[in-house]
Amino acid sequence: CLPPGPWPLPFLGNILQIDHQGFLKTFQLLQKKYGEVFTVYLGPRPVVILCGYKAVKEALVDQAEAFSGRGHIAIIDPFFKGRGVAFAHGKSWKVLRQFSQLTMREFGMGKQSIEKQIQEEAQRLVEELQKSQGAHLDPTFFFHSAMANIICTIIFGQCFNNQDPGFLRLLHLMNDISDLSSSFYSQMFEVFSGILKYFPGIHRDVYSKVQEIEDFVIKNIQRHQEMLDPSAPKDFIDSFLVCMDKESSDPESEFHFKNLVYTVVSLFLAGTESSSNTLLHGFVLLLKNPDVVEKVQEEIDRVIGSHHLPALEDRAKMPYTDAVIHEIQRFSDILPLGVPRCVIKDTHFRGYHLPKGTTVYPFLSSVLHDPCHFEKPETFHPGHFLDAEGNFRTQETFIPFSLGRRFCLGESLARSELFLILTSVLQNFTLRSPKALEDIDITPRRNGLGKMPPEFQLCFLPRQGVAPRL
Ligand code: HEM
């Protein structure tokens, strides 16, 4: 039998238990009643929720193979249809994941060259912010553009001008997709997609926006096809095209056009939105905590100074800054429900039986806000990651990138981006809010599949000293 949970109504499932604030609040309330593992019916479909580090690890790590499927996400599934690295299953996913990891590493990730690329983007961002001359601004598209350009260099072998209308359109599309997929409607669509899909609504909006990104990707791939030199692939798309060519006579090959398109769309979306939303949450938290900014800047001045660009090797010498970035990720908890998984075979877990295909939510928020592991779970407190002597202290339960076989494919890239962008900005600017400290609202503007940062304005006031150059 499935884990316990509230009694479902026929077809409507646990609609009566779903809180008006959405799944996050609902799961928090149900966790109090049913404990670490429970079942909730989203419409007619049972979904198993894993709460707390122990349950998430026992499933995603100790039974890694069984829990390695990608679960159903109603608002996005009709588009990806199980294709591309983030949504594929079984052999297809294994091949695409291995290829993506190796190729991302080859064109940057984990290598010196991506560090250079991020440093360049960080400097471009600093220059753009300098132009604002201390006026207050909404930083959203500054961060989106920097993050998108880093992933574009790896995938498309090029970055885009911030004024390019096509690029700006893409950034808006991606932001809208995250926003709409995190809306209350999307959570209701998860429950009632069987009926709602026949009517107009936000799901069609999401679909057409992802389609527009797909069109952009297809055009870009076609340009790559025309210019391909198989002996010297220049980026991710070239490398995939070379594999497609090599395996063109194999009808079972996973290297086909559709998988290329949906892998690129997944990397582009996942690679831009998660990192920039984390940064946005981070900056509003920093605005609200000027004492934290002061300490980070003291560490930057001491370790990096004002004449060098921040580099990854500085991180080990900057325990306070490292702790602040970890705390930003823990507190902002940008994917609170995790990304749904499913069991790829009939699975026994903690005495329950999960039939093949059952959707499972690794409830990451319950781990990142667990009072047994974090002294002040609901407070922004970098001390969670520092010991009594001020050394950086890792926490096993720090899992914003999830665990197991499908843990975030961009983790090392994201960690490098967060460190280099945040230190570069704070090396050059002091942050000021046009609002009084007590009026700065850090409440997320959406709390669904993703936690979307609040809208806010800030001023980047130049600090003294010469801005370092590459
Ligand atoms: C702060 C930034 C980021 C966070 C918090 C984050 C978090 C996550 C999480 C929680 C998952 C779901 C893992 C699971 O199934 O349990 C995931 C998957 C994924 N992430 Fe990230 N991510 C971030 C940045 C990135 C970046 C920069 C990339 C770009 C390469 C990326 C690419 C992916 C991909 C492709 C998957 C799907 C992996 C698979 O299904 O095998 N992510 N991420």
Side-chain angles (χ1 to χ4, degrees):
C1 65
L2 283 166
W7 196 253
L9 299 170
F11 304 113
L12 301 175
N14 290 123
I15 187 69
L16 298 178
Q17 282 80 22
I18 291 179
D19 189 273
H20 68 281
Q21 293 178 55
F23 288 173
L24 176 62
K25 186 76 191 163
T26 307
F27 296 171
Q28 283 168 342
L29 294 172
L30 292 175
Q31 180 187 0
K32 286 200 183 115
K33 185 155 182 203
Y34 295 98
E36 290 180 356
V37 182
F38 57 86
T39 305
V40 57
Y41 280 77
L42 302 181
R45 191 166 52 95
V47 168
V48 173
I49 315 296
L50 306 172
C51 306
Y53 180 71
K54 221 162 143 276
V56 171
K57 180 179 166 290
E58 272 174 37
L60 269 49
V61 178
D62 300 347
Q63 296 202 52
E65 176 70 11
F67 284 85
S68 70
R70 176 60 69 221
H72 185 69
I73 308 177
I75 199 101
I76 298 178
D77 276 358
F79 184 83
F80 286 95
K81 298 200 186 94
R83 299 166 300 194
V85 64
F87 297 94
H89 295 273
K91 172 181 159 257
S92 176
W93 166 72
K94 280 189 183 148
V95 172
L96 294 173
R97 168 115 188 171
Q98 197 186 23
F99 171 86
S100 303
Q101 262 171 328
L102 283 175
T103 314
M104 300 263 298
R105 211 165 294 149
E106 197 175 325
F107 292 106
M109 230 167 87
K111 266 212 311 193
Q112 170 97 27
S113 63
I114 197 59
E115 177 172 10
K116 265 249 148 58
Q117 180 55 39
I118 304 173
Q119 285 174 326
E120 266 172 34
E121 271 311 317
Q123 286 317 294
R124 239 151 60 110
L125 175 66
V126 165
E127 280 162 25
E128 287 297 316
L129 295 176
Q130 267 157 356
K131 287 185 202 157
S132 71
Q133 298 189 321
H136 49 84
L137 53 86
D138 173 347
T140 307
F141 285 96
F142 290 90
F143 291 138
H144 278 354
S145 142
M147 295 301 136
N149 263 333
I150 294 165
I151 197 84
C152 285
T153 314
I154 300 173
I155 302 177
F156 304 118
Q158 69 178 116
C159 55
F160 296 88
N161 186 313
N162 287 353
Q163 318 300 328
D164 177 340
F167 182 57
L168 286 176
R169 172 80 189 145
L170 278 180
L171 298 182
H172 278 280
L173 286 171
M174 287 195 277
N175 196 43
D176 289 353
I177 292 166
S178 315
D179 202 51
L180 296 174
S181 338
S182 299
S183 61
F184 188 74
Y185 176 91
S186 286
Q187 295 167 63
M188 286 304 101
F189 192 73
E190 196 62 54
V191 181
F192 296 120
S193 60
I195 302 166
L196 291 178
K197 69 181 175 190
Y198 296 109
F199 297 94
I202 285 176
H203 58 287
R204 296 208 178 149
D205 237 25
V206 171
Y207 192 91
S208 78
K209 285 175 195 281
V210 190
Q211 191 115 43
E212 216 180 312
I213 296 182
E214 181 191 8
D215 293 342
F216 168 85
V217 168
I218 289 177
K219 278 199 198 107
N220 203 300
I221 293 175
Q222 284 163 345
R223 264 205 305 281
H224 275 73
Q225 281 175 316
E226 285 158 19
M227 321 225 324
L228 182 67
D229 172 2
S231 63
K234 296 182 300 305
D235 51 38
F236 189 93
I237 294 180
D238 273 0
S239 300
F240 201 101
L241 290 172
V242 171
C243 291
M244 263 170 70
D245 214 34
K246 273 195 199 131
E247 299 195 4
S248 57
S249 56
D250 176 4
E252 306 278 285
S253 171
E254 295 304 335
F255 292 100
H256 52 75
F257 194 77
K258 290 267 178 220
N259 263 344
L260 171 56
V261 173
Y262 295 110
T263 295
V264 169
V265 175
S266 313
L267 290 173
F268 197 32
L269 272 171
T272 302
E273 283 300 299
S274 334
S275 302
S276 51
N277 283 337
T278 304
L279 276 173
L280 288 164
H281 278 289
F283 274 88
V284 77
L285 285 167
L286 291 175
L287 269 186
K288 190 89 181 159
N289 293 275
D291 53 318
V292 173
V293 178
E294 233 168 74
K295 286 191 203 155
V296 172
Q297 286 179 327
E298 185 278 317
E299 201 171 54
I300 292 175
D301 294 346
R302 187 161 39 79
V303 177
I304 308 171
S306 58
H307 298 284
H308 292 110
L309 288 179
L312 290 178
E313 62 175 13
D314 297 324
R315 187 163 44 189
K317 293 174 259 162
M318 299 174 69
Y320 187 76
T321 306
D322 206 5
V324 168
I325 295 174
H326 277 72
E327 182 64 356
I328 287 173
Q329 284 206 267
R330 183 199 72 78
F331 186 84
S332 59
D333 182 19
I334 59 157
L335 291 163
L337 315 174
V339 182
R341 299 282 191 93
C342 76
V343 286
I344 59 166
K345 56 184 178 192
D346 287 353
T347 301
H348 288 281
F349 181 70
R350 291 199 171 185
Y352 304 113
H353 174 75
L354 277 52
K356 179 179 171 180
T358 306
T359 299
V360 176
Y361 279 56
F363 188 16
L364 299 185
S365 190
S366 70
V367 183
L368 296 173
H369 291 267
D370 186 342
C372 301
H373 294 282
F374 297 100
E375 193 191 331
K376 305 175 188 169
E378 304 310 329
T379 307
F380 178 69
H381 174 56
H384 285 136
F385 296 94
L386 291 167
D387 68 12
E389 278 79 48
N391 300 311
F392 179 75
R393 171 172 63 135
T394 48
Q395 295 272 13
E396 201 183 11
T397 48
F398 174 76
I399 57 165
F401 298 102
S402 190
L403 288 173
R405 299 249 166 102
R406 285 195 100 129
F407 81 95
C408 173
L409 194 144
E411 173 170 352
S412 90
L413 175 63
R415 285 177 28 81
S416 305
E417 289 171 342
L418 296 180
F419 177 75
L420 294 174
I421 301 274
L422 192 118
T423 49
S424 300
V425 172
L426 291 185
Q427 183 188 40
N428 286 280
F429 302 101
T430 292
L431 314 177
R432 283 279 178 283
S433 170
K435 287 188 177 172
L437 209 61
E438 59 277 15
D439 295 332
I440 302 174
D441 187 5
I442 58 168
T443 320
R445 73 170 189 278
R446 298 269 200 205
N447 221 333
L449 190 61
K451 264 194 200 175
M452 299 297 286
E455 277 161 17
F456 65 104
Q457 299 245 329
L458 83 167
C459 316
F460 292 91
L461 302 176
R463 296 183 75 210
Q464 281 163 356
V466 183
R469 286 273 169 277
L470 263 178

